[in-house]
Amino acid sequence: MEYDFRNIEANWRKKWAHDESYKVTEDTNKKKFYVLDMFPYPSGAGLHVGHPLGYIASDIYARYMRHKGYNVLHPMGYDSFGLPAEQYAILTGQHPAKTTEQNIARYREQLDKMGFSYDWSREVRTSSPEYYKWTQWIFGLLFNAWYDLDSNKTRPISELIEKFEDNGSYGVNAHMDEDWWKTYLLEADHIFSSHFEGEFTDTDWKSMSQAQKEALLMNYRVSYLADSLVNWCPALGTVLANDEIKDGVSERGGHAVEQKKMRQWSMRISAYSERLISDLDTIDWPDNIKEIQRNWIGKSSGARVRFQAEKEVTIEVFTTRPDTLYGVSFLTLAPEHESVEVLTTAEQRDAVADYVSNSKLKTERERMAEKKISGVFTGSYAQHPLTGDQVPIWIGDYVLAGYGTGAVMAVPAGDQRDYDFAKHFNLEIKNIFAESDLSEKAETSKEATLANSDFLNGMNYYAAFDAVCERLVELGAGEKRVNYRLRDAVFSRQRYWGEPFPIYYENGIPRLINTEELPTELPDVDAYLPTESGEPPLARATNWERNGMPMECNTMPGWAGSSWYFLRYMDPNNHSVFASEERIKYWGQVDLYMGGAEHATGHLLYSRFWTKVLFDLGYIPFNEPFKKMINQGMILGRSSFVYRIKDSNTFISFERRKEFETQRLYADISLVDNDKLNIEGFKNWLPEYANAEFMLNENGEYTCGWEVEKMSKSKYNVQTPDELIEKFGADTLRCYEMFLGPVEQSKPWDTKGISGVHNFLRRFHRLFLENETFSVSSEEATAAEMRVVHKTIKKITEDLERFSWNTVVSACMIATNELTDLKCNKRQALEPLVVLLSPYAPHLAEELWKNLGHSTSVMNESWPVAENKYLEEDNFEYPVSFNGKTRFFLSLPVGMSAADVEAQVMAHESTAKYLEGKTPKKIIVVPKRIVNVVM
RNA sequence: GCCCGGAUGGUGGAAUCGGUAGACACGCAGGACUUAAAAUCCUGUGACCAUUGCGGUCGUGUGGGUUCAAGUCCCACUCCGGGUACCA
């Protein structure tokens, strides 16, 4: 009876499904543990061997925690809204829901074959109305919320309205766009006086019309509609969030992106910047992800400084180096800066208009690519707040409108860009450093001593920072300021296949649809494209209205549904709330989150944001979603190549390829074994190779070349799990993917080693066989056998506790080898090993467990405990080294004192030889580790 | 440019607290079984020198340092991977 993995695996899969073995229910008598995988987008290509890497690791951990007695929540679902299904729909006219359905079926089939312990009764799909009903509901929560800076919390908008009724805006400290009030001064129907700077009284509030109130509240809402500068991608026909852009082009497709002012929904994530940074300290995530998030949020400490310009204009700048204030020789405004027009003098009008319109034409990418220094003088001056000097105001596109105030104080002495700008336009470079040579470049060190800086002379950055900020406060010309790079997130997409907003417009005022009426279902459309007039696809729907009032035509971005899905798994079929309070309380945070690092600035940031909102509003008792996270590395492909002699149909083996001029062509990796080409298979692969001739190597084989690349169809290097499961079984594949190396590490896929792992499972299986039939002995195991077992229990338990999945497989191999050598077939020794192996090879473990005579599943067995009595050894084999070089071994009793060990070593016959007649200076004895004789 | 990782045999990797570097596996070489092959089993396998046996020297990207002892800690550098950027 060989290891018949095909039958074993098929049978157990069937039985698990039939028994609903992995269904989990809330049980307050048991401790909970929540193991989660980042749910996949079900693409048409299906899974390749790289995808399940993280799933296998988390599944092993989930099974391990079950053995340890935890009630484990281990669900799976699909992030099923997304662009590929929509693009396929545009091409074929097929509804994206149908494509999605088919892809999900394929994914499920592949996932099932792997033997995962998912509770499929809890599956969620972000595109199902049952699910997105609650995504819409959460959108509503954010819409009906504002951010209170006093309590540092998200609060219901109703509280804000009460405050307005009582005392207007006085006493309200809300997070909002700093310049929000300026738009009110530009509007035709002035509701506030021209002195309005954001404060209004309860009388003002009460005198407003409903529409005016709503418009005002929009400045406070956490989810708000505003005209904002967005990243517009013409090729994709939609706006994109900052995290969907890489290197200035769209992450998906690599299309150009331009800045455009559009009326869009946004999320006030910037209000949460500080918490998103500081709470990173409370979670156990990989350092690099934390670092990426810190950089993305981009906290920088500095100061705001106000310069009084002509025509009653105040230019406010943000600087991280207020200590260099005396070095300011000009100001630079972004071309989009609001004061550009007012400050431009008549003489400069044409030049400025030219420059501004020119830079508007350029995309951000073009501006970045063009390293040329450009700028133009406005003709105006501003007064330096400390010296009173008049400094010229310039415009330059190296200043970004979206960061800080869109204006900088230029200190050529202390900033390289300012320096370059000054050199280029021949502007003044004031040396404000005592010992710095500015003939070549700026002095950017914070250690440099200041000079020509009045009361700051002799100080460096660290001393001068506070001193200058104090002075600025006294003068009312500035103050310390922390600035964040993180911008509010655009939440509208001009797409079909996404969540519709639960919003309709009453006379242009956005209104939220009541919870009872949700979900707002995605309407049918005749085509999945924008309308002729450029409206999003939803505008094509007939009846896309509510009581005659138009519905919002944008849909939500991909990250909406994925920002809270981990909560829905807790209570996936609840029709009255997104998840019940008791269940959220029971399951709590995700204890182990497994997924790719590529979501660092998207999904992982947005879920933290939504979690904080739900926490603030009292819906969940924790403010971070994922307590611990591990990122699995990417598995790369290993492409194979054949070498065709130019202008022929003859292929030459890799070793001899230099003999001719050859062309390197991909060969499908399924035709290559150990870099040796299956020649017949290759001929049958593509018609053009049917008559191919081969020049072989000296062993009569055709060797292929290879290269490590990303897996892709066009490179013929995609390894699907299906083929390997067919050939070796899921248990082998599970063990092998773990055996490849640390999960976090990226590594090339190489099928070479899989036979070794398969072999190990066969050898393990064979421990239970005698004369080809299942047979174990009930004799008591020997001390040596028990030592192997308990050593293995200890090792595997420690390895799993530190998430070292790969070394567990080695430990199992070692145990199998040792017990095979001991010819051990005793139940007492083998039973615990079956439990140890079951997280890795669940099918085989179940089969052996059943054959051992158990009627219950091995998955519920408690985890074996290593007992010291089996591990203790009487003697320790001391490596004895001389000056650090190990020379011989000496077996001594474990309990022997250091002094006795030293004496034994000195008495040893070999010692004299290695001492070479010298007297030891010192003898280091580390009990149960090493002896080192220093000469 | 800045920030964060990493570099160990022919290959993937192990070495958890500074304490025997190379576990485990692949590959390769040799052998057993076989008419043969597959499968299986056994032996060897970091490099160099020695080899009749003992053995010896070197060795974890490079150079330096700390230590009785360094893959592990410190300093400088090289290369590779990831993130990010006219961010003031």
Side-chain angles (χ1 to χ4, degrees):
Chain A
M1 188 180 74
E2 255 305 325
Y3 170 35
D4 182 7
F5 59 87
R6 285 194 192 88
N7 271 318
I8 292 173
E9 293 185 358
N11 290 340
W12 283 104
R13 271 207 303 276
K14 213 182 293 164
K15 181 156 168 59
W16 290 331
H18 176 265
D19 295 353
E20 297 189 309
S21 304
Y22 298 113
K23 201 174 163 123
V24 61
T25 48
E26 291 67 22
D27 177 353
T28 46
N29 295 318
K30 280 165 98 180
K31 287 172 291 176
K32 69 91 187 184
F33 199 86
Y34 190 174
V35 182
L36 183 63
D37 293 305
M38 286 185 189
F39 62 168
Y41 172 78
S43 80
L47 296 167
H48 64 62
V49 288
H51 296 113
L53 182 72
Y55 303 159
I56 294 169
S58 63
D59 192 63
I60 287 166
Y61 202 77
R63 287 173 179 275
Y64 167 65
M65 291 308 274
R66 260 181 227 123
H67 284 300
K68 296 237 297 177
Y70 286 86
N71 196 27
V72 177
L73 178 57
H74 188 42
M76 184 44 103
Y78 304 97
D79 190 11
S80 45
F81 272 134
L83 194 56
E86 176 156 337
Q87 284 175 333
Y88 190 71
I90 292 168
L91 285 175
T92 62
Q94 177 164 256
H95 197 287
K98 204 176 160 201
T99 321
T100 304
E101 188 72 37
Q102 288 163 354
N103 292 349
I104 286 178
R106 167 92 179 111
Y107 264 62
R108 177 63 190 273
E109 194 191 320
Q110 287 188 298
L111 290 171
D112 276 346
K113 279 196 224 163
M114 302 281 309
F116 291 134
S117 61
Y118 295 127
D119 177 357
W120 283 107
S121 72
R122 291 174 185 258
E123 180 195 298
V124 302
R125 299 178 182 189
T126 54
S127 63
S128 107
E130 278 301 293
Y131 179 89
Y132 69 64
K133 168 181 179 175
W134 299 107
T135 309
Q136 291 170 335
W137 176 80
I138 294 173
F139 169 82
L141 277 188
L142 285 119
F143 178 74
N144 278 328
W146 62 292
Y147 198 84
D148 177 18
L149 289 168
D150 285 338
S151 60
N152 220 353
K153 266 190 158 187
T154 321
R155 317 257 306 238
I157 201 89
S158 55
E159 284 183 18
L160 184 69
I161 294 170
E162 273 171 41
K163 284 170 186 274
F164 289 168
E165 294 280 340
D166 286 351
N167 205 14
S169 68
Y170 293 91
V172 172
N173 188 8
H175 188 286
M176 48 206 307
D177 179 359
E178 258 180 282
D179 297 332
W180 72 275
W181 50 272
K182 288 183 183 164
T183 56
Y184 278 82
L185 303 176
L186 305 171
E187 273 174 21
D189 57 334
H190 288 291
I191 45 175
F192 299 115
S193 75
S194 59
H195 300 297
F196 179 64
E197 284 193 4
E199 296 286 8
F200 54 90
T201 65
D202 53 306
T203 322
D204 288 336
W205 169 257
K206 284 169 195 152
S207 69
M208 288 181 207
S209 70
Q210 200 53 41
Q212 287 171 329
K213 283 180 177 173
E214 282 300 330
L216 182 69
L217 285 173
M218 201 51 98
N219 295 295
Y220 291 83
R221 296 182 189 274
V222 175
S223 173
Y224 62 95
L225 190 59
D227 290 314
S228 45
L229 215 50
V230 294
N231 308 300
W232 171 253
C233 179
L236 293 174
T238 187
V239 302
L240 297 171
N242 287 344
D243 66 275
E244 292 168 315
I245 297 165
K246 292 259 143 50
D247 301 323
V249 296
S250 70
E251 190 178 25
R252 207 172 261 286
H255 304 293
V257 173
E258 55 194 51
Q259 302 288 302
K260 195 172 168 183
K261 203 147 206 168
M262 286 176 76
R263 195 157 182 81
Q264 299 284 299
W265 287 98
S266 287
M267 292 271 169
R268 205 175 293 281
I269 189 172
S270 59
Y272 301 78
S273 300
E274 184 56 44
R275 287 165 73 190
L276 288 169
I277 285 187
S278 60
D279 288 348
L280 284 173
D281 296 338
T282 70
I283 49 180
D284 183 6
W285 284 19
D287 287 336
N288 66 315
I289 301 286
K290 289 191 184 185
E291 200 57 31
I292 290 170
Q293 291 210 346
R294 279 191 203 103
N295 290 340
W296 185 257
I297 298 165
K299 180 177 182 172
S300 54
S301 301
R304 281 279 173 102
V305 185
R306 284 177 286 278
F307 288 76
Q308 194 55 50
E310 290 147 12
K311 297 173 192 148
E312 287 190 29
V313 174
T314 306
I315 303 291
E316 195 170 27
V317 302
F318 173 73
T319 176
T320 53
R321 294 295 302 275
D323 57 306
T324 64
L325 193 49
Y326 282 93
V328 172
S329 51
F330 56 100
L331 301 182
T332 315
L333 310 181
E336 297 87 352
H337 195 276
E338 54 178 17
S339 303
V340 164
E341 222 177 294
V342 205
L343 290 173
T344 304
T345 57
E347 306 84 74
Q348 292 298 98
R349 191 155 306 278
D350 289 348
V352 169
D354 241 32
Y355 184 73
V356 170
S357 63
N358 229 323
S359 43
K360 263 187 195 148
L361 284 176
K362 286 186 261 180
T363 65
E364 193 149 317
R365 188 175 175 75
E366 283 167 342
R367 276 204 211 178
M368 264 159 49
E370 227 176 78
K371 288 282 176 201
K372 245 175 29 202
I373 296 163
S374 69
V376 63
F377 181 44
T378 60
S380 290
Y381 292 82
Q383 192 183 29
H384 190 289
L386 299 185
T387 64
D389 291 349
Q390 292 292 308
V391 296
I393 304 171
W394 282 68
I395 299 167
D397 66 7
Y398 77 97
V399 179
L400 304 177
Y403 184 77
T405 60
V408 302
M409 57 176 226
V411 182
D415 182 283
Q416 194 55 44
R417 286 155 309 175
D418 296 343
Y419 183 91
D420 295 339
F421 196 86
K423 280 266 172 180
H424 190 262
F425 290 106
N426 215 6
L427 298 165
E428 188 186 7
I429 297 174
K430 292 185 192 165
N431 194 345
I432 45 156
F433 295 103
E435 291 138 12
S436 302
D437 172 21
L438 298 179
S439 57
E440 293 293 323
K441 58 181 196 322
E443 170 61 76
T444 53
S445 166
K446 289 180 174 175
E447 309 289 342
T449 308
L450 291 161
N452 302 320
S453 294
D454 198 350
F455 66 102
L456 302 176
N457 286 345
M459 299 183 193
N460 63 14
Y461 160 86
Y462 302 97
F465 190 99
D466 284 337
V468 74
C469 287
E470 268 167 46
R471 179 68 61 90
L472 285 169
V473 171
E474 280 164 28
L475 297 169
E479 56 277 316
K480 275 191 198 171
R481 175 73 182 219
V482 174
N483 201 52
Y484 299 92
R485 198 181 73 102
L486 185 66
R487 299 274 75 97
D488 282 347
V490 187
F491 199 66
S492 304
R493 295 293 181 279
Q494 292 68 44
R495 291 269 171 69
Y496 176 77
W497 193 228
E499 297 89 347
F501 282 79
I503 290 283
Y504 63 95
Y505 291 89
E506 183 180 7
N507 300 321
I509 302 169
R511 298 281 184 198
L512 190 66
I513 290 175
N514 294 328
T515 306
E516 305 81 64
E517 293 174 53
L518 298 179
T520 298
E521 288 205 37
L522 203 49
D524 283 325
V525 292
D526 56 356
Y528 304 97
L529 287 166
T531 63
E532 307 266 299
S533 58
E535 292 280 298
L538 291 197
R540 291 176 173 269
T542 47
N543 302 325
W544 191 232
E545 53 176 42
R546 186 180 182 276
N547 302 332
M549 291 174 280
M551 294 288 297
E552 167 70 53
C553 290
N554 286 297
T555 54
M556 298 187 198
W559 54 268
S562 60
S563 291
W564 71 282
Y565 75 110
F566 60 97
L567 295 168
R568 188 63 180 171
Y569 284 134
M570 298 175 184
D571 201 359
N573 302 311
N574 198 319
H575 296 293
S576 50
V577 286
F578 70 104
S580 77
E581 210 181 321
E582 309 84 71
R583 294 223 185 173
I584 294 172
K585 198 174 152 219
Y586 179 70
W587 292 115
Q589 283 171 293
V590 173
D591 295 286
L592 176 63
Y593 195 32
M594 184 72 69
E598 66 274 17
H599 298 108
T601 52
H603 162 61
L604 289 170
L605 197 61
Y606 294 126
S607 348
R608 295 183 62 215
F609 162 41
W610 280 27
T611 299
K612 288 180 194 309
V613 173
L614 291 168
F615 170 75
D616 288 352
L617 296 174
Y619 288 97
I620 56 175
F622 44 87
N623 70 356
E624 281 291 338
F626 315 120
K627 199 150 87 185
K628 178 174 179 69
M629 178 167 61
I630 294 179
N631 298 123
Q632 87 272 18
M634 201 171 29
I635 292 195
L636 301 162
R638 190 176 186 277
S639 315
S640 284
F641 298 100
V642 290
Y643 301 84
R644 183 167 66 189
I645 297 170
K646 218 177 163 213
D647 302 322
S648 79
N649 204 11
T650 301
F651 293 82
I652 188 156
S653 186
F654 175 77
E655 303 88 339
R656 298 174 58 194
R657 69 193 185 285
K658 300 249 164 75
E659 292 172 22
F660 296 89
E661 194 179 337
T662 57
Q663 188 185 5
R664 194 177 79 159
L665 299 163
Y666 282 103
D668 194 296
I669 54 161
S670 66
L671 302 170
V672 181
D673 187 22
N674 250 333
D675 292 334
K676 300 294 180 287
L677 184 69
N678 167 357
I679 291 175
E680 281 313 303
F682 183 75
K683 284 180 166 179
N684 294 330
W685 177 39
L686 297 175
E688 55 177 306
Y689 299 146
N691 300 315
E693 308 267 334
F694 296 88
M695 294 174 76
L696 307 175
N697 66 10
E698 51 195 17
N699 299 327
E701 291 165 325
Y702 189 96
T703 309
C704 297
W706 58 273
E707 196 171 310
V708 171
E709 302 177 288
K710 229 176 152 166
M711 274 194 199
S712 115
K713 268 186 182 172
S714 62
K715 297 183 165 77
Y716 298 103
N717 63 356
V718 176
Q719 180 76 61
T720 67
D722 313 61
E723 301 160 317
L724 293 166
I725 289 173
E726 175 53 31
K727 205 164 161 194
F728 299 103
D731 285 341
T732 297
L733 182 61
R734 289 169 65 104
C735 291
Y736 183 56
E737 290 219 11
M738 293 298 98
F739 187 66
L740 273 178
V743 260
E744 312 85 309
Q745 223 167 75
S746 285
K747 54 221 150 197
W749 177 259
D750 191 340
T751 320
K752 265 188 199 164
I754 199 166
S755 61
V757 175
H758 186 64
N759 232 343
F760 144 64
L761 289 179
R762 278 222 307 258
R763 282 164 62 91
F764 184 80
H765 182 249
R766 210 174 299 143
L767 286 172
F768 297 78
L769 298 183
E770 201 171 356
N771 299 325
E772 299 295 297
T773 49
F774 188 91
S775 157
V776 290
S777 149
S778 50
E779 263 176 74
E780 202 175 321
T782 64
E785 291 164 347
M786 289 308 274
R787 183 149 55 238
V788 171
V789 173
H790 283 262
K791 186 181 74 181
T792 309
I793 296 171
K794 185 163 186 275
K795 168 78 176 151
I796 292 180
T797 308
E798 283 169 3
D799 285 356
L800 283 175
E801 289 295 331
R802 67 190 171 100
F803 308 100
S804 174
W805 283 271
N806 55 326
T807 50
V808 171
V809 183
S810 310
C812 287
M813 287 174 172
I814 292 168
T816 305
N817 293 347
E818 289 181 352
L819 291 179
T820 301
D821 289 347
L822 289 167
K823 301 203 177 4
C824 173
N825 70 335
K826 301 187 181 110
R827 169 186 294 272
Q828 192 193 0
L830 297 180
E831 269 199 352
L833 287 182
V834 174
V835 181
L836 292 182
L837 189 68
S838 79
Y840 279 75
H843 309 87
L844 176 59
E846 285 277 40
E847 181 73 11
L848 293 171
W849 195 249
K850 188 190 80 186
N851 289 342
L852 283 164
H854 298 281
S855 56
T856 52
S857 167
V858 68
M859 75 178 81
N860 299 318
E861 283 304 304
S862 54
W863 191 251
V865 177
E867 290 179 51
N868 275 329
K869 66 175 176 187
Y870 298 114
L871 294 172
E872 279 162 9
E873 304 222 26
D874 298 339
N875 292 304
F876 179 76
E877 188 95 348
Y878 277 94
V880 180
S881 54
F882 292 78
N883 281 347
K885 286 192 176 103
T886 308
R887 295 301 184 177
F888 63 89
F889 292 90
L890 183 55
S891 183
L892 293 170
V894 164
M896 188 178 258
S897 72
D900 290 345
V901 170
E902 187 177 327
Q904 289 291 320
V905 168
M906 290 316 290
H908 193 270
E909 51 183 12
S910 303
T911 299
K913 179 177 134 201
Y914 291 109
L915 277 177
E916 296 160 1
K918 293 177 209 156
T919 326
K921 286 196 196 113
K922 200 160 142 196
I923 298 174
I924 311 274
V925 176
V926 186
K928 284 184 79 178
R929 277 209 191 270
I930 201 167
V931 177
N932 190 17
V933 181
V934 187
M935 302 186 291

